[in-house]
Each structure stands twice: as structure tokens, then as C-alpha cells.
Amino acid sequence: MATVSSLTYDDLGSAAQRDRRRRILDATVSLASKGGFDAVQMRAVAELADVALGTLYRYFPSKIHLLVSALARQFEETEANLGRRTIPGEDPADRVTYVLTRATRGMQRDPNLTEALTRAFMFADSTVAGEIHVVGLKLTAMLNRALQGEQYVEGAEPTDREIAVARVISDVWLAALVSWVTGRTTAEEVSEHLETAVELILR
């Protein structure tokens, strides 16, 4: 079992290494989009990314590390997109609901990819703690941007309460995605569940 974390973007010192990491994650997302969790095999990722299998394992010790890192990148891209415009809504609940609805619909448009990323997150154990932490940081940043609205300051440390609220909402959201990818709830029910949770927590 792998006991080391994946190499992050900041761990890599050269543009070539960073490009290699990007290609690996692009290949992972492409395979997952076509065939879900089972389609993401390390050898297939290495071939599609045009890297040696040993190189892939140096960057990502396992398939779970790879997919959870891809999930973190998805959230990072979502958070970056949110930063380019004002999040609509008169209060934190409205803004958080908008962000969650938008992110959820985006994930539901690619059900195979969402199934792969969500299953990996579910299967992750303590060896993937570093990658799980990064996912949590990206989610917290995304939700804090919505919670604070125009008061949000890039790079500012969130308060303990903001961190706690973001964590609870994140847990509810990920649980709702698990229910959707396993066929226990519909897309509409996920939206309703999230709206209820946000109302209870923030109003």
C-alpha cells in the first residue's frame, strides 16, 4: 500500500515536470469521462499521458491518489472561475446555494467522471490524507468566497466559524453526490437536499 503523497504542482521545480503532471491529470479525466472509475488504470493513464509507468507512480503512488488529485484540480478550477465574477445572491445562503448548484450541475453533466472522482474519495484511506486535505482546502476556499461575498479577500485566513460551516456544507454536498452516483437519488433531489441543508445551517 502506498504511504507517500502525490507530487503537487508546487512540489515540481521545472515547467517540464509541471506539464507532465498536467498531462497525467488530463489523461485521468479523459479516461474517467469515457468509462468511469474502472476505466482509470495506471498503465492506460501512462500511455495516454505519454509518460513511463514508473514516472507516473513517482507522481501519483496509486489510482486513488491520482483520482483524488484530479478532484482537487476540479474544485480549484471551479473556485478560480468564481473569482472572475460577482457571485449573485442577497445573503450567504443565496450565494452558497448558487455555488453548489452550479458546481453540482457541472459534475452531473459528466456522470462517468463524477462517479470516478466520488468513488475515489470514498475509498481513500489514511495514505491519501494529503490529497484529501487539499480537496478540503479547495472546497473551503470556494464556499468561503460565497459566504463572504464582496467582503472576500483573496488569501485571507477564514475564521474558525467559516471553516466549520464550510466543512459541514462540504460533507453534506459530497454525501449527496455519493447518493446520486449510486443511483439512490435523482439530480433534482440532490438540489433540494442541498437547498434544505443550506437553509438550516445559514438562516
Side-chain angles (χ1 to χ4, degrees):
M1 181 178 290
T3 58
V4 295
S5 296
S6 308
L7 293 176
T8 67
Y9 183 88
D10 292 335
D11 292 329
L12 304 174
S14 72
Q17 290 174 321
R18 291 172 178 173
D19 181 67
R20 192 174 297 123
R21 184 180 188 274
R22 178 193 57 76
R23 294 203 317 271
I24 289 170
L25 290 176
D26 286 347
T28 301
V29 169
S30 178
L31 289 168
S33 293
K34 292 175 182 176
F37 182 84
D38 293 335
V40 180
Q41 302 298 324
M42 297 297 273
R43 188 172 298 278
V45 171
E47 290 176 357
L48 187 58
D50 193 25
V51 300
L53 186 59
T55 299
L56 173 59
Y57 276 105
R58 284 197 297 275
Y59 279 70
F60 299 97
S62 75
K63 170 178 173 173
I64 300 300
H65 287 78
L66 184 56
L67 284 165
V68 174
S69 295
L71 178 62
R73 190 176 73 163
Q74 296 282 99
F75 288 152
E76 182 176 14
E77 291 171 353
T78 299
E79 203 268 332
N81 288 333
L82 289 171
R84 298 189 182 103
R85 61 182 63 85
T86 300
I87 300 173
E90 296 182 357
D91 57 31
D94 287 343
R95 293 191 296 269
V96 168
T97 298
Y98 171 84
V99 167
L100 290 177
T101 299
R102 178 172 173 170
T104 301
R105 286 175 179 169
M107 297 183 82
Q108 288 171 338
R109 282 194 292 270
D110 197 338
N112 285 337
L113 176 60
T114 300
E115 180 261 346
L117 299 179
T118 305
R119 281 182 64 183
F121 193 84
M122 291 167 56
F123 294 157
D125 58 20
S126 60
T127 67
V128 198
E131 291 78 3
I132 293 294
H133 179 65
V134 173
V135 169
L137 289 176
K138 302 304 181 186
L139 269 172
T140 298
M142 185 172 74
L143 291 172
N144 276 336
R145 190 181 289 277
L147 285 167
Q148 297 179 15
E150 295 182 356
Q151 305 303 315
Y152 182 81
V153 176
E154 198 76 42
E157 288 292 323
T159 66
D160 289 344
R161 183 182 185 279
E162 287 167 343
I163 292 173
V165 169
R167 283 178 176 171
V168 171
I169 293 174
S170 297
D171 287 346
V172 172
W173 186 40
L174 290 169
L177 285 176
V178 169
S179 294
W180 179 70
V181 299
T182 55
R184 299 199 303 269
T185 59
T186 65
E188 292 76 16
E189 287 171 335
V190 168
S191 295
E192 292 172 1
H193 185 60
L194 291 174
E195 287 181 16
T196 299
V198 171
E199 287 284 331
L200 291 172
I201 294 169
L202 294 177
R203 292 200 194 279

